[in-house]
Amino acid sequence: MAGEERLGSTQAAVVWCPIPVVTWMLPFVGHAGLARANGTTTDFAGPYHVARGPLLFGAPTRRVKNVCKDGEKWDRCVDEAELLFTAKNYDFVRQNCHHFVAETLNLAKYRGRSDWNAVNVAILCFVRGKHEGWYGFLRTWLPFVLVMTPALYFGTWITAVVWAGLALFACATFCIAAYCC
């Protein structure tokens, strides 16, 4: 397809990219997608829309590679998840890109499991995801440092407490939505 993004180093991978402004404040919050066996990326980009090509918020900055050794099986699982998610509405908390990735990992039985959820995917991307070189590292962390350094330097201790409260609220909302809804 024209305009498809192919990433040679991310074949059969879970990919992640920052969401502008949101990731600048909370660097563990981002957009998850998948790379097919040929390197083409795909993601749940909005209501009833799964996009192939560049991710919704730009090129991936992190990847968890080799999630499936069998490229044909992986592509079948991605196709099936795409079909399921083209019939789903998008909700930032309860039905989002992380759910799309979790569904694909469940279909592929990644690591012998079929109980992947959005929280597991977020942890997988944050802990096991490797940055796409210096560019990926800088695109993920530099905005956070540029926003938080002056805020903490010129602000009071309340700035750190407010940030910690916001981070805790975001994590709690995500976990409650994944495990209780």
Side-chain angles (χ1 to χ4, degrees):
M1 292 177 122
E4 287 185 349
E5 184 170 356
R6 294 193 193 289
L7 304 164
S9 63
T10 57
Q11 291 130 354
V14 174
V15 293
W16 183 94
C17 69
I19 301 171
V21 182
V22 176
T23 308
W24 300 351
M25 301 300 289
L26 302 167
F28 51 85
V29 177
H31 183 70
L34 302 165
R36 294 172 159 279
N38 68 2
T40 302
T41 57
T42 183
D43 62 334
F44 185 40
Y48 315 104
H49 180 67
V50 176
R52 286 189 187 177
L55 297 177
L56 181 62
F57 296 103
T61 60
R62 287 179 172 221
R63 63 181 162 84
V64 179
K65 64 180 182 177
N66 299 325
V67 293
C68 186
K69 302 290 185 205
D70 181 353
E72 288 181 25
K73 175 186 174 190
W74 177 251
D75 285 350
R76 281 193 309 272
C77 295
V78 172
D79 288 338
E80 190 173 336
E82 284 180 349
L83 189 60
L84 288 168
F85 276 76
T86 55
K88 294 187 181 210
N89 198 2
Y90 187 93
D91 179 310
F92 189 73
V93 176
R94 292 178 296 156
Q95 193 66 38
N96 59 40
C97 56
H98 289 74
H99 293 89
F100 170 67
V101 172
E103 181 67 31
T104 305
L105 294 175
N106 287 331
L107 292 168
K109 302 271 191 269
Y110 177 58
R111 300 184 106 183
R113 294 176 44 190
S114 60
D115 61 347
W116 289 92
N117 63 30
V119 173
N120 301 137
V121 169
I123 292 169
L124 177 74
C125 290
F126 197 73
V127 174
R128 292 201 59 234
K130 304 293 182 212
H131 287 97
E132 291 284 338
W134 279 102
Y135 171 76
F137 180 83
L138 290 175
R139 194 165 153 235
T140 300
W141 293 102
L142 185 62
F144 174 71
V145 170
L146 292 176
V147 168
M148 292 305 289
T149 300
L152 292 172
Y153 182 76
F154 294 112
T156 63
W157 62 271
I158 295 173
T159 305
V161 171
V162 168
W163 180 85
L166 179 63
L168 183 61
F169 175 76
C171 289
T173 301
F174 200 56
C175 289
I176 289 168
Y179 293 107
C180 300
C181 297

